[in-house]
Amino acid sequence: MSPSLNTATSGSSKDEGAGVSPQNKGSWSSFLKSIASFNGDLSSMTAPPFILGTLSLTEFSAYWTQHPSVFVAPAAEKDPAKRALLVLKWFLSTLKPSYSTRNDKYGSEKKPLNPFLGELFLGKWEDEAGTTELVSEQVSHHPPVTAYCIQNAKHGIKLEGYNGQKASFSRTIHIKQVGHALLTLTPPDNPSAPVETYLITLPNIHIEGLIYGKPFVELNGCTYISSSTGYTGRIDYSGKGWVSGKKNSFTATLYPTGKEKDVLYSVEGQWPESFTIREGSGKHATVIDTYNARNAPITPLIVPPLEQQDPWEANKAWEKVITAITKGDMDTTNMEKSKIENAQREYRRKEQSQGRDWERKFFRRADKAEDWWESLAKGMGERIEAEKTGGVWRFDKAKAETARRPFHEGMLPTG
């Protein structure tokens, strides 16, 4: 039990809201009390104005590939064990952008905008790795699910996946991520070889620092990367405890699937800071690589200017809301958000009355996972949980090839 959060719900600590400006302490205290008594998914709650973010969850898909050269590196490695290690290294390099970027930029975690069904976020990275393309689409609203596909044709590597989040409160905010990611690549110098698949599970999250008004993400539990080449990576997350430990810490191992004690490589560090990769484990392990997350160069994502974006693209759709949040104008924020939310409810009513489903532009829904998915997931104890994500979502190449602006001609997110 966290003593600070236990105090936060009682409102008796002199440190409560220490990181909040004086004019916002009252609303912060009320917010803490409201989440402690709220029964349901916290993502549906209205957050205090000063904790609202200007990013939509569809934009979070870009965090997978802020370092394209690290993303494509496995596709050039000939040794399958080292390839699996490079996939593990890439995944670990995504943790800082995915779970620490808002804290670094704003000083605390921010509540993202909840995407509407059909919302899109499109972009690309261009650097020494070539062109890496991103497609992110909100494929379900109840439950909320974002699907994404990131691919680099030059290196023959692709990441696709989907995830939903369900937030609850028990001494702090807990966020369970449902879904998975799939990385596929063709081994180098052998184009006729079978495509390799890496199944990646997603970490669960809890929010620390609430009592001080400076919330930040902590990861907990463990996640896996299971490969079709017979290697498994396991990542164990931990935070600062009562007596010892550092926040945002982890340890990871890579081993032949089913032989967890036969560690080939081990990794440890703090995911927002740096980590060290060793061959083997224990006192006889040899350092073979290090990664500094703070200093790693970031390739900026290129997105079309607002005037060229479709109304269903995130930045364009939320433009007025983002402007109002930036100005601290909550009346306009709520008014512009309501226009989108009310229009979306009307679209769903019409679809239901006409017996039709919303048309996804880049992804398709399946009722169950593929046989190979079950094979890779079995050793991890992972389940597909399609009922929690509105189905199993896969990138549809045929749809993507025909998708063009305007994506929903004659229709606007605001009705």
Side-chain angles (χ1 to χ4, degrees), residues 79-226:
D79 181 81
K82 291 179 180 178
R83 245 188 339 266
L85 176 63
L86 288 172
V87 172
L88 175 60
K89 177 183 176 181
W90 157 75
F91 173 77
L92 294 172
S93 78
T94 71
L95 297 178
K96 174 179 164 49
S98 295
Y99 302 109
S100 183
T101 295
R102 279 86 56 201
N103 196 288
D104 292 343
K105 183 175 181 180
Y106 303 110
S108 67
E109 188 61 42
K110 298 293 184 180
K111 183 182 185 296
L113 297 168
N114 293 328
F116 52 86
L117 183 60
E119 181 178 315
L120 297 165
F121 185 63
L122 313 174
K124 62 182 178 180
W125 297 268
E126 292 184 342
D127 58 10
E128 66 275 6
T131 300
T132 306
E133 297 181 297
L134 163 71
V135 172
S136 182
E137 181 175 11
Q138 191 71 6
V139 292
S140 175
H141 187 64
H142 292 296
V145 177
T146 305
Y148 50 86
C149 180
I150 301 168
Q151 51 189 332
N152 184 299
K154 176 182 175 181
H155 294 275
I157 191 167
K158 179 176 74 171
L159 176 77
E160 65 172 291
Y162 62 94
N163 68 284
Q165 298 182 332
K166 187 173 179 62
S168 60
F169 185 88
S170 176
R171 302 191 183 101
T172 186
I173 295 175
H174 297 269
I175 302 171
K176 177 177 173 56
Q177 297 199 93
V178 186
H180 59 267
L182 297 168
L183 182 78
T184 55
L185 61 86
T186 301
D189 302 328
N190 192 1
S192 62
V195 171
E196 293 180 4
T197 301
Y198 297 79
L199 171 61
I200 303 165
T201 62
L202 308 174
N204 289 325
I205 300 167
H206 65 271
I207 306 298
E208 295 286 0
L210 283 177
I211 189 174
Y212 306 112
K214 296 187 70 174
F216 66 89
V217 166
E218 188 66 271
L219 306 180
N220 56 270
C222 70
T223 60
Y224 292 91
I225 303 175
S226 178

